[in-house]
Amino acid sequence: SLLSELELSGDRQVVDLGDQNAKSEQAALRSCGVEVVPGTFTDVASLKSTLDGVDKIGSVLLVEVLQHLADPQELLTALAAWALDHGSPSLVISVPHVAHVDMGLKLLCGHFEAQQGGPLHPANLRFFTEETLQRLVDRSGWNVVRRDDLHSIYSEEYEAGLRDGLPEEMMGALQATAQAVNPNWSVTHFVWALEPRPVDIAPTSYGEAVVPT
């Protein structure tokens, strides 16, 4: 896992700021001997209070969080500033990828229905490609140091009926096009480990954080 690659020292703890109903990540980490502390926040002030209440933080987890925020750059910028003042613990993020080949096919066929998982979950307010996510973390004070993206030929947006209803030659052409122009065609989730760094001017809006310059 990314956390094992980051080589946390034995006395360092991991703070999980993600969905506290999803215990799988915490259980997996604990099975590897990593101490995981659940954390919650409602705004930047409560975030700092939560982190200040934990000793010796080695890493912070944001699994399935950023896409639920209207202004994820505010959270990332605050975390980077806090981390730089507290020994520079790493940050591990996971977000769904909106440009998997299955999503492209759905959009091509005029489908954009809400799902209970993946990019089309009703709670999602932001949608990420690799480029969008890279600009967001770069401008919010983080460097990407490791990646362990999740890949699958079929994603949560897969609809057998769409594929079965199209000629085999057309599906073959669509798949070949995706593989030729989209290096992340099979990525379902981006999973990145980040290290904090200073920024001269933090973005003041989501647009400033992700729009190409």
Side-chain angles (χ1 to χ4, degrees), residues 43-118:
D43 53 27
V44 171
S46 65
L47 168 70
K48 293 179 178 178
S49 177
T50 293
L51 296 176
D52 287 340
V54 181
D55 292 329
K56 297 182 178 179
I57 296 177
S59 188
V60 176
L61 302 185
L62 279 178
V63 177
E64 303 296 300
V65 173
L66 295 179
Q67 70 269 23
H68 297 159
L69 305 176
D71 292 298
Q73 79 284 349
E74 293 183 356
L75 173 62
L76 290 173
T77 300
L79 271 173
W82 183 92
L84 289 170
D85 289 337
H86 293 80
S88 296
S90 60
L91 174 65
V92 176
I93 62 172
S94 173
V95 300
H97 177 215
V98 75
H100 186 282
V101 64
D102 287 343
M103 178 65 78
L105 178 59
K106 290 184 71 166
L107 291 174
L108 186 65
C109 295
H111 292 211
F112 198 75
E113 296 85 2
Q115 306 265 353
Q116 287 306 313

Side-chain angles (χ1 to χ4, degrees), residues 86-187:
H86 293 80
S88 296
S90 60
L91 174 65
V92 176
I93 62 172
S94 173
V95 300
H97 177 215
V98 75
H100 186 282
V101 64
D102 287 343
M103 178 65 78
L105 178 59
K106 290 184 71 166
L107 291 174
L108 186 65
C109 295
H111 292 211
F112 198 75
E113 296 85 2
Q115 306 265 353
Q116 287 306 313
L120 296 184
H121 191 284
N124 290 354
L125 301 178
R126 299 301 182 188
F127 304 91
F128 297 105
T129 63
E130 178 183 27
E131 291 79 9
T132 305
L133 186 61
Q134 184 72 61
R135 287 191 289 269
L136 174 66
V137 298
D138 280 350
R139 296 174 187 177
S140 300
W142 296 93
N143 289 327
V144 180
V145 294
R146 300 277 196 285
R147 291 182 59 161
D148 190 17
D149 300 334
L150 304 183
H151 293 257
S152 177
I153 295 177
Y154 302 116
S155 72
E156 292 170 290
E157 285 71 48
Y158 172 74
E159 291 187 20
L162 287 182
R163 291 177 177 260
D164 294 344
L166 295 173
E168 184 176 343
E169 297 81 3
M170 183 179 293
M171 280 307 309
L174 289 171
Q175 190 77 26
T177 300
Q179 293 179 18
V181 302
N182 179 8
N184 298 303
W185 68 273
S186 65
V187 173

